[in-house]
Amino acid sequence: MTHSLSIEDDIDGDTLHEECGVFGILGHPDAATLTALGLHALQHRGQEAAGIVSFDGQRFHSERRMGLVGDHYTDPATLARLPGDRSMGHVRYSTTGETILRNVQPLFAELEVGGIAIAHNGNFTNGLTMRRQLIADGAIFQATSDTEVVLHLIARSKQASSSDRFIDAIRQMEGGYSMLAMTRTKLIAARDPIGIRPLVMGELDGKPIFCSETCALDIIGAKYVRDIENGEVVICEIQPDGSITIDARKPEVSKPERLCLFEYVYFARPDSVVGGRNVYVTRRNMGINLAREAPVEADVVVPVPDGGTPAAIGYAQESGIPFELGIIRNHYVGRTFIEPTQQIRAFGVKLKHSANRAIIEGKRVILVDDSIVRGTTSVKIVQMIREAGAREVHIRVASPMIFHPDFYGIDTPDAEKLLANQYKSLKAMGDFIGVDSLAFLSIDGLYRAVGGAPRDNAQPQFTDHYFTGDYPTRLLDRESTSNVRKLSMLASNG
């Protein structure tokens, strides 16, 4: 298969792509509309595709689309095809499986116990292993998403109820995930045993809601109830009299929670509360700690938008150097119709970012970014700042160097493509980027910013393998040499 590089490849190939987002509500007359609004608030977690499934008491209804939530679910005709008082939805960035319509979640199947829809945020580290075993036993897969493995395990479970079958299935899966399932009467929420991926419970007009982040509750005026605990399964069921029962089941042996640090560094929306911590405050704290660890004489502190903004504010506050918007972001880039010639690709970053010359010219500039992956975007931004007349350019990164790939739902490059693995010193790295100096926040500085204490090396408080190499679970698919990913799927437009 040939692949022609696009402008978006050039601009976006140097970022950590979002995972996915889930939202579900039970018993509300405007279920699908509220789900669409919730997914809109979670759009930052995945922009490739979105799907919603509803149930009207008789039938399940599914609308799955490629593209953004607002491109499809603002259409009254689309929402009219999603009747019912229970609904769940998903926004997707594909970390496993191709970007085709049949992979778009929620996935739905008719089973012996009735219809069930499922969707999840994260990644199973034994998904390919389980898939291979199921295929060997005669299972037929329609999608390349690892979510489909759970459907097969539910179908094959010997448990009596749909709830027990679901629990039986997910207890066989490993990795980092938050998962929702919907049956004719139930909305079920589950979180992985160490809580790598976030999941919260809310309430609107007395009806239960589950979603990836609190910002999805805020957009519909719902009340935050609590975080789903790591390893917990919560089963909400509509009774014949219309009341809703809530059954929370916890694992027999609980493990300490280890939330993914990148939720705080990059993924979660700044106005969300993750693990009881406001994301904006944690990012500002990262900037404060960065200013303490890596001070430099300069005239302005400039964020690399939008991710670097809270940390840049913290850096400016702590250092006393003025905060300025020296880079202006164009939020309306979208997909371009321009033929991606090399000359056009050279515009690269300028399609998304423009230097504010009046702020930059003649100044010693500190650029604050949330993270650096491959460094190619940093090279272009520094070049743009120098072209705008900066006298010096210093980069300060509000997270540690990334040395290791992720297998829990973050789309990271292979280890050898990460900037930190390509150069033996900070100076060499800085020379590649073209800056006068380069510094990263320490792992303890990051831990203090988020949790208030340095890293406990014996029992780390968070998931941080991309910085440390300390993977919190087995990586069964990676350990097995026979699990090289070769998913042969029929080429399809949908």
Side-chain angles (χ1 to χ4, degrees):
M1 175 181 175
T2 59
H3 174 68
S4 58
L5 185 69
S6 72
I7 291 177
E8 287 76 22
D9 291 324
D10 203 40
I11 298 172
D12 294 332
D14 189 27
T15 59
L16 295 174
H17 285 291
E18 295 83 347
E19 312 120 340
C20 298
V22 295
F23 183 98
I25 184 167
L26 183 68
H28 199 286
D30 298 319
T33 300
L34 293 169
T35 300
L37 287 166
L39 293 180
H40 184 75
L42 297 172
Q43 186 77 85
H44 59 286
R45 299 187 72 87
Q47 296 91 43
E48 287 189 353
I52 297 177
V53 171
S54 71
F55 183 72
D56 63 5
Q58 298 294 323
R59 294 180 57 201
F60 287 90
H61 304 267
S62 176
E63 292 286 330
R64 300 185 297 162
R65 297 284 188 273
M66 304 304 297
L68 302 176
V69 176
D71 291 343
H72 305 290
Y73 298 99
T74 51
D75 183 353
T78 302
L79 291 172
R81 293 193 294 270
L82 292 165
D85 68 349
R86 63 213 74 172
S87 172
M88 62 177 282
H90 184 266
V91 288
R92 169 181 172 81
Y93 175 81
S94 62
T95 52
T96 64
E98 299 172 275
T99 307
I100 53 177
L101 192 57
R102 78 181 103 196
N103 280 336
V104 178
Q105 301 178 39
L107 299 184
F108 174 80
E110 285 286 356
L111 307 178
E112 181 188 8
V113 289
I116 186 169
I118 64 172
H120 89 286
N121 158 219
N123 208 47
F124 300 120
T125 53
N126 67 336
L128 289 171
T129 302
M130 298 298 295
R131 180 190 186 94
R132 191 185 59 179
Q133 292 173 0
L134 288 163
I135 290 173
D137 288 341
I140 298 172
F141 281 78
Q142 295 294 316
T144 56
S145 167
D146 54 359
T147 314
E148 192 176 11
V149 171
V150 181
L151 276 179
H152 280 281
L153 292 175
I154 293 170
R156 289 167 179 247
S157 173
K158 303 302 182 186
Q159 299 295 323
S161 72
S162 57
S163 304
D164 290 334
R165 284 181 173 222
F166 175 81
I167 293 171
D168 182 32
I170 63 165
R171 293 286 187 251
Q172 299 176 60
M173 305 307 297
E174 299 178 21
Y177 59 85
S178 291
M179 176 166 276
L180 296 185
M182 187 174 73
T183 71
R184 297 169 64 90
T185 60
K186 300 170 186 173
L187 182 63
I188 307 170
R191 197 163 166 225
D192 66 77
I194 61 172
I196 297 174
R197 302 268 73 89
L199 189 63
V200 299
M201 183 177 186
E203 179 187 296
L204 181 66
D205 303 330
K207 311 303 182 184
I209 298 169
F210 299 102
C211 53
S212 294
E213 292 182 36
T214 58
C215 62
L217 301 174
D218 297 336
I219 198 173
I220 59 171
K223 173 188 171 186
Y224 166 81
V225 176
R226 66 179 180 89
D227 284 21
I228 303 306
E229 295 180 22
N230 50 300
E232 184 179 23
V233 179
V234 180
I235 304 154
C236 301
E237 183 170 12
I238 294 183
Q239 302 301 315
D241 64 358
S243 64
I244 297 176
T245 58
I246 299 177
D247 177 18
R249 302 190 192 177
K250 298 179 182 178
E252 292 180 6
V253 180
S254 62
K255 301 176 181 179
E257 183 184 69
R258 288 184 64 179
L259 254 164
C260 173
L261 272 178
F262 255 110
E263 291 291 342
Y264 297 102
V265 170
Y266 185 87
F267 290 124
R269 237 172 65 166
D271 55 330
S272 285
V273 175
V274 175
R277 306 168 186 91
N278 176 266
V279 174
Y280 172 83
V281 171
T282 63
R283 289 179 186 166
R284 189 182 61 193
N285 290 343
M286 293 172 203
I288 291 171
N289 290 349
L290 186 58
R292 292 170 180 166
E293 291 183 3
V296 62
E297 290 187 10
D299 302 307
V300 290
V301 175
V302 171
V304 177
D306 288 320
T309 302
I313 290 171
Y315 195 103
Q317 287 176 350
E318 180 66 21
S319 67
I321 301 170
F323 170 92
E324 297 284 2
L325 294 179
I327 300 174
I328 307 302
R329 183 180 173 196
N330 176 9
H331 289 266
Y332 306 101
V333 177
R335 289 280 166 181
T336 178
F337 61 88
I338 301 171
E339 181 66 24
T341 63
Q342 185 56 46
Q343 184 179 2
I344 296 298
R345 276 201 298 272
F347 295 157
V349 164
K350 291 183 180 179
L351 289 173
K352 282 193 173 181
H353 300 110
S354 298
N356 189 352
R357 181 176 287 272
I359 297 300
I360 298 299
E361 194 166 23
K363 303 286 179 58
R364 298 170 298 174
V365 178
I366 300 173
L367 290 176
V368 178
D369 207 348
D370 53 21
S371 56
I372 291 182
V373 185
R374 291 190 305 163
T376 51
T377 300
S378 302
V379 170
K380 294 171 184 176
I381 288 177
V382 169
Q383 181 181 357
M384 182 178 69
I385 295 297
R386 290 204 185 276
E387 288 173 357
R391 188 150 53 95
E392 295 177 11
V393 183
H394 306 270
I395 285 186
R396 295 295 180 265
V397 185
S399 62
M401 284 186 270
I402 301 170
F403 289 99
H404 307 276
D406 179 83
F407 304 105
Y408 302 102
I410 305 173
D411 190 21
T412 50
D414 295 333
E416 65 270 15
K417 294 180 181 177
L418 294 165
L419 181 70
N421 293 326
Q422 293 181 334
Y423 297 91
K424 293 184 178 179
S425 69
L426 265 179
K427 177 154 189 331
M429 217 178 294
D431 289 344
F432 165 75
I433 295 172
V435 290
D436 294 280
S437 73
L438 171 67
F440 292 79
L441 183 63
S442 69
I443 189 71
D444 281 345
L446 177 57
Y447 266 77
R448 288 189 184 97
V450 177
R455 186 181 196 267
D456 181 347
N457 295 329
Q459 285 190 313
Q461 307 93 303
F462 299 98
T463 288
D464 59 12
H465 50 276
Y466 21 75
F467 305 131
T468 65
D470 180 7
Y471 290 92
T473 73
R474 293 193 309 166
L475 302 176
L476 196 59
D477 289 344
R478 301 291 300 182
E479 293 163 4
S480 174
T481 55
S482 59
N483 271 328
V484 176
R485 180 159 305 186
K486 291 182 180 177
L487 304 182
S488 55
M489 288 293 296
L490 180 71
S492 170
N493 292 326

